[in-house]
Amino acid sequence: MNRALVIRNAFVVLAAAVGIAGGLQACQTVDLGSPPADVNACRPSQQFFVDEIWPNVLAQSYGGKHCYDATCHDPGTGRRPSFIANPQPLVPTLPLPDDWAMNYLKAADEMNCSSPGNSPLIEYGEGGMGHPGGALFKNTDPQETKLRMWVTAGSP
């Protein structure tokens, strides 16, 4: 065999081996890590929160008590969720100002969009899950209806 042909064949075999090795390396699985914490988080309508959930559920008086009271879910209690009592401004705009956004996120984190009835915000409000404040409403009351409607009222 011709010396040039032998060198050319050796070069072709070497190039093929490098190509295969490189191709195998490129096909390895890439670990993307854990998904961010808020993936699939329940983020119901901010406007519905402002118009209905805050005034008619969370800021409503339950026998003279409110969810945001210092003995309940005031930020100083360490209880989850914690709410700012008088978010400013009184009539917020979208996007929500900081006080309103905090209250919204705290409440939304307690909602289960795929199964609203299993939301801690509803279960605790009905007096379940060892709610120290007892039952605030029944499953037939407007408060629960509004909470269930919240997750279907549209995106933020």
Side-chain angles (χ1 to χ4, degrees), residues 65-101:
K65 295 181 181 179
H66 303 87
C67 295
Y68 56 74
D69 286 341
T71 57
C72 294
H73 296 282
D74 174 86
T77 65
R79 289 193 185 115
R80 205 184 134 189
S82 60
F83 300 110
I84 296 171
N86 296 306
Q88 297 297 323
L90 295 176
V91 181
T93 58
L94 296 180
L96 293 175
D98 290 345
D99 288 358
W100 281 94

Side-chain angles (χ1 to χ4, degrees), residues 41-76:
C42 186
R43 292 293 178 250
S45 169
Q46 291 179 1
Q47 191 64 57
F48 196 85
F49 176 80
V50 168
D51 295 342
E52 298 291 338
I53 300 303
W54 183 257
N56 299 315
V57 179
L58 298 174
Q60 183 172 328
S61 175
Y62 296 98
K65 295 181 181 179
H66 303 87
C67 295
Y68 56 74
D69 286 341
T71 57
C72 294
H73 296 282
D74 174 86

